[in-house]
Amino acid sequence: MDGLKVSMSDIAHMLEPPKGSGHYVKKFIEKQGLSATKAAQQLNVSPSTVTRFLTGGALTPVMAAKLHKTFNIDEQLLFNLEAQANVQKTRELLAV
């Protein structure tokens, strides 16, 4: 395998499109055995705010801070996931 280089374009077809941070936070919350309502109570926000975020709503600095303080989820990771999803959406629009 000496000299073999694999580029992202070589493996891109095997990767899922990036998803926003809400997708991963939803999985985390479910793994903790929490409902959206229970998570909302812990985050001190309304259940509709949590549900909106978990189903694709935008990540705000306030929500990122609450997720970090409550669940110790890295805020930079959350925003990086959002950025990757936004880049993917832009590429899809450019391909049309």
Side-chain angles (χ1 to χ4, degrees):
M1 302 230 345
D2 232 357
L4 178 64
K5 290 186 180 180
V6 178
S7 70
M8 272 306 270
S9 61
D10 293 329
I11 62 169
H13 67 281
M14 296 185 292
L15 303 174
E16 287 187 32
K19 297 178 173 84
S21 58
H23 171 82
Y24 299 100
V25 172
K26 181 178 180 182
K27 288 183 176 229
F28 172 82
I29 288 171
E30 289 171 350
K31 191 173 181 181
Q32 301 302 309
L34 297 173
S35 65
T37 302
K38 284 286 189 191
Q41 290 172 348
Q42 291 186 21
L43 292 164
N44 198 28
V45 298
S46 71
S48 64
T49 297
V50 170
T51 300
R52 185 172 41 253
F53 169 65
L54 297 179
T55 58
L59 174 68
T60 65
V62 171
M63 179 60 82
K66 287 179 181 275
L67 288 164
H68 177 78
K69 287 179 183 177
T70 305
F71 299 116
N72 198 31
I73 299 173
D74 184 73
E75 68 282 359
Q76 186 169 355
L77 172 64
L78 293 171
F79 281 109
N80 286 343
L81 291 167
E82 288 292 300
Q84 290 174 12
N86 286 334
V87 167
Q88 178 64 30
K89 289 175 191 172
T90 302
R91 287 180 177 156
E92 290 169 3
L93 291 171
L94 291 171
V96 173

